[in-house]
Amino acid sequence: YQYANGGWIKNNPLPPEFSRYGSFDVLAENTLTMLREVVEGIKLDNTQAGSVAEKTAVFYKTGMDTASIEKDGIKPLLAELNLINSANDLFQLQNVIARWHSNGSGLLFKFFSSPDRVNSEMVIANIYQGGIGLTDVDYYISKDKNSENILNEYRKYISKMHILAGYSHSDAEVKASKIIQIETRLAQASMSRLEMRDPHKTFNKMSLAELNKRIPEFNWTGFLQITGAPSFDELNVGQPLFFDEINNMMKEVPLEDWKTYLAWHVINMSAEYLSSEFVIANFEFYGKFLSGKREIQPRWKRIIKSADNAMGKLWVNYTRKNTSRLQLKI
């Protein structure tokens, strides 16, 4: 190990914002620096309205506007949280789940497309297990000391984020307990990491009619309409037992508990885009405690990465054209 890696380790000490650091991380860092030069070089006065350049510049400028972000606090999420709290039944909450999926955020489970494993000429829709805030289902299930400590810290993190969102300490603790209960049920019905490595276990093709019959408590027709998914007749259900449990939970978990659970995941998924107190709390748990990072990345790097995730191929094509003149040094 030292023969192969000793020189790299000696010459490239682990930066505080990383939990691992290799040659590909150096490449990514150099790319971010180039992209920053491109984005900060865009002059809004000279860009066409609605162009990729304008969208990119406005996205970056908005993300770097810390004064407005700090002033707003939790305000950007209030409309979504109110929508959840005003739901009168589970189907209305399922519509909220669908809305977030349409924005690329997988609430409760994952929904995506991929090549069909038995027919590579076709693309198939997939639904996969998800819905938990920790990175491994074993943290909810295992009784070893490390897993119990991680679950306890996660509970504290949930409570802290609710307090930041304006809830009392007692209400925050109650909500944290309900959220842990729901996520534990989801984890218990999920495949382990080892099981997920078996491509045969995670490929279970069903027709939409079969899915609706097996999981009738979830409005799949409404979900597909709201997400804007193209018409299809069959899909892959990655973990059928997980979705069986969702069906059971739709009947057994009280409506108010589902509201608490969904509101939490909306807050948690949005935390890094909110004011600094949310950003720091999120980093302290996921960055420091779970990953071992010592410092959060500079804001400009996080905004560039967010633009990359949000703007897809438009962003890639634009930056590819405008970084060709820059020299990449590794």
Side-chain angles (χ1 to χ4, degrees):
Y1 178 83
Q2 286 297 325
Y3 179 81
N5 302 302
W8 174 267
I9 294 172
K10 179 180 178 180
N11 297 322
N12 298 274
L14 184 67
E17 64 191 73
F18 286 87
S19 57
R20 53 146 287 166
Y21 195 65
S23 58
F24 283 101
D25 296 295
V26 176
L27 176 63
E29 287 293 282
N30 286 338
T31 302
L32 284 175
T33 300
M34 290 195 298
L35 294 180
R36 182 188 189 184
E37 182 177 335
V38 171
V39 174
E40 292 185 347
I42 298 174
K43 306 299 182 183
L44 281 173
D45 293 341
N46 299 326
T47 57
Q48 182 179 352
S51 65
V52 175
E54 183 199 45
K55 292 177 181 178
T56 301
V58 170
F59 189 109
Y60 184 74
K61 182 179 179 181
T62 302
M64 295 299 289
D65 184 6
T66 54
S68 297
I69 294 170
E70 292 302 313
K71 181 181 178 182
D72 286 343
I74 193 70
K75 184 178 178 181
L77 292 185
L78 291 182
E80 291 294 329
L81 297 177
N82 290 336
L83 188 62
I84 292 172
N85 290 328
S86 64
N88 294 318
D89 54 45
L90 286 175
F91 271 18
Q92 289 184 7
L93 284 183
Q94 291 170 10
N95 289 341
V96 174
I97 294 172
R99 287 182 67 252
W100 277 75
H101 274 274
S102 69
N103 293 327
S105 300
L107 269 179
L108 188 58
F109 57 87
K110 299 171 185 176
F111 176 57
F112 60 95
S113 61
S114 70
D116 188 322
R117 296 182 197 173
V118 297
N119 182 4
S120 60
E121 295 182 354
M122 298 293 293
V123 171
I124 191 170
N126 299 263
I127 51 174
Y128 258 56
Q129 67 187 39
I132 59 176
L134 290 174
T135 54
D136 197 316
V137 298
D138 284 347
Y139 293 144
Y140 297 88
I141 302 169
S142 298
K143 300 302 180 182
D144 62 274
K145 188 174 181 179
N146 181 57
S147 295
E148 290 181 347
N149 180 49
I150 289 174
L151 188 59
N152 186 50
E153 289 299 318
Y154 180 52
R155 185 189 302 273
K156 292 179 183 177
Y157 166 65
I158 296 173
S159 180
K160 182 176 182 178
M161 293 291 273
H162 277 88
I163 292 171
L164 293 177
Y167 293 94
S168 68
H169 183 79
S170 58
D171 285 346
E173 290 190 341
V174 169
K175 288 181 180 295
S177 294
K178 292 184 181 298
I179 291 160
I180 293 292
Q181 288 174 7
I182 290 177
E183 291 190 11
T184 299
R185 283 193 65 171
L186 293 173
Q188 289 170 338
S190 299
M191 288 186 183
S192 67
R193 286 196 180 191
L194 182 60
E195 290 174 311
M196 291 283 284
R197 294 173 185 167
D198 186 336
H200 301 289
K201 284 187 176 181
T202 57
F203 192 74
N204 308 279
K205 190 178 289 188
M206 295 184 191
S207 67
L208 284 176
E210 290 172 327
L211 179 66
N212 283 316
K213 183 177 180 180
R214 180 163 179 164
I215 320 294
E217 298 299 322
F218 195 89
N219 182 12
W220 295 107
T221 300
F223 175 83
L224 294 175
Q225 288 176 346
I226 293 173
T227 57
S231 177
F232 58 85
D233 297 322
E234 57 185 11
L235 76 167
N236 174 40
V237 182
Q239 300 78 26
L241 295 181
F242 175 83
F243 289 93
D244 288 343
E245 182 65 355
I246 284 182
N247 192 70
N248 294 332
M249 292 172 70
M250 287 293 166
K251 294 182 290 184
E252 299 167 2
V253 175
L255 178 64
E256 292 304 314
D257 289 359
W258 276 119
K259 290 181 181 182
T260 296
Y261 165 82
L262 292 178
W264 158 242
H265 279 275
V266 166
I267 293 171
N268 196 34
M269 287 192 297
S270 308
E272 61 181 321
Y273 309 111
L274 300 175
S275 54
S276 58
E277 55 188 3
F278 290 96
V279 174
I280 292 171
N282 180 268
F283 173 76
E284 288 288 328
F285 180 71
Y286 287 107
K288 276 191 176 181
F289 179 72
L290 283 184
S291 302
K293 299 175 183 178
R294 290 168 289 164
E295 292 181 6
I296 193 170
Q297 284 196 326
R299 186 169 191 85
W300 70 266
K301 288 185 182 181
R302 289 181 276 132
I303 303 305
I304 291 292
K305 289 181 178 180
S306 295
D308 188 17
N309 291 332
M311 299 190 70
K313 290 185 177 180
L314 290 176
W315 160 257
V316 171
N317 291 335
Y318 175 78
T319 52
R320 181 184 292 126
K321 293 177 182 178
N322 289 274
T323 54
S324 59
R325 59 185 174 80
L326 302 175
Q327 183 178 6
L328 177 62
K329 297 180 179 179
I330 303 179

